[in-house]
Amino acid sequence: MTTKERYESAKAVYAKYGVDTDKAIEILKKAPVSVHCWQGDDVIGFDHDGPLTGGIQTTGNYPGKATTPEQLFADMEKVLSLTPGKKKINVHACYAIFEDGEFVDRDKIEPKHFQKWVDLAKKYDTGLDFNPTFFSHPMVKDGLTLSSPDEATRKFWIEHGKACIRISKYFAEQTGIPCVMNIWTGDGFKDVPADRMGPRMRYKDSIEQILSEPYDFNMVKPCVESKVFGIGVESYTAGSAEFALCFAAEHKDKCLPLMDNGHYHPTEVVSDKVPALLTFFDEIALHITRPVRWDSDHVVLFDDETKEIAKEIVRNDAMDRVYMALDYFDASINRISAWTVGVRSWEKALLNALCTPNAALKKLQDENKLTELMVMQEEAKTLPFGDIWKEFCEECGVAGDESWYEEVKKYEEEVLSKR
Ligand code: RNT
Ligand code: ZN
């Protein structure tokens, strides 16, 4: 049978459950997913020579990583060609591109240092998201940035944040698409601190100063990302869940809360937090990752929690209220494959959610038909989803099966292995 014939037969099965798969595919084609540039080079960037430091870590040294803008762009374009759906490109400030030996520090970066990223986005007719980089830099003093008691340090990072708002504005203007700008710092302490509130008061003040840089909240969407702990900061994190959520709630007219599903205690799930936040916020943002026992940032898979997060976005009719961005970095396997698997998995999770008989299931819950709900939820798991996924991929002009990997192997042989 051809993909089309299989699709038609699967479509009829779904129709029996009240699911319109044509519509699901059309909705997914329009939903932007932000693809992070940092999977390509282990979160290093171009503005410094040193390693990744400051509360996050990559592990592995698979050969062939990108070390220049040209290489990273080529790799990213390969990923874009192997993944279905609508994309945005997510850039970190440390990926500034300086021409002819020019260098400016992070407190002074300008839109022009990201012109090549803008050109890349325009080539693909996509939007850009942005992130100030509060790590891998000598001004991270004793593990602290925006919460530092040292005023010169704090000032430097506030200036960096403001510069990033200006760059985000430029991204939004140039692409015509809102730019999500995420603030995450690894600020914290390895061991029991004597003052837990001081750093948070300073952190709050610093973010407020960053957000005092003028911007149109319809076009620039600053976010605050929380975290439970990081490597080297196991005892205390200034930007805890309560801190970030309260900050966003208090500044609802100018920023959003961002949840990274690797940043909570291991039995907490972001799928349950999504509807809780949607009850109070018009918009929220997500970092989609895969924590294995901790914030390990493994490649996103089509696993239960990934599916569940997608379901909460879709069944609450919140595709246009949730900014979805991928955030993982695996340096132990072919990076292009890691990148591609993650993007495809999230697209798959969204399509799966769109093909779930959500209305019928909700009705069963509201009628307290909980036995039938369990029966139906289990049945929904084995509907012929693979045929819908294949059709979606092919309509998007990418392989619906694992044959995309042949393309990566060829690229590894011809390009990556020569680096
Ligand atoms: C780190 C945070 C943060 C980073 C990126 C690179 O734990 O998740 O979002 O992964 O900014
Ligand atoms: Zn994150």
Side-chain angles (χ1 to χ4, degrees), residues 313-333:
I313 298 169
V314 166
R315 65 187 171 200
N316 294 312
D317 212 8
M319 297 275 273
D320 55 354
R321 293 174 62 198
V322 181
Y323 294 98
M324 306 176 276
L326 295 160
D327 180 18
Y328 54 85
F329 21 93
D330 193 334
S332 74
I333 54 176

Side-chain angles (χ1 to χ4, degrees), residues 38 43 55-56 92 131-132 135 182 184 225-227 229 258 260 263 287 295 297 327-329:
W38 52 92
V43 211
I56 49 174
H92 239 285
N131 307 259
F135 51 81
N182 180 47
W184 172 77
E225 178 181 15
S226 68
K227 187 159 175 172
F229 82 94
L258 185 146
D260 177 311
H263 290 191
H287 271 181
D295 179 41
D297 287 295
D327 180 18
Y328 54 85
F329 21 93

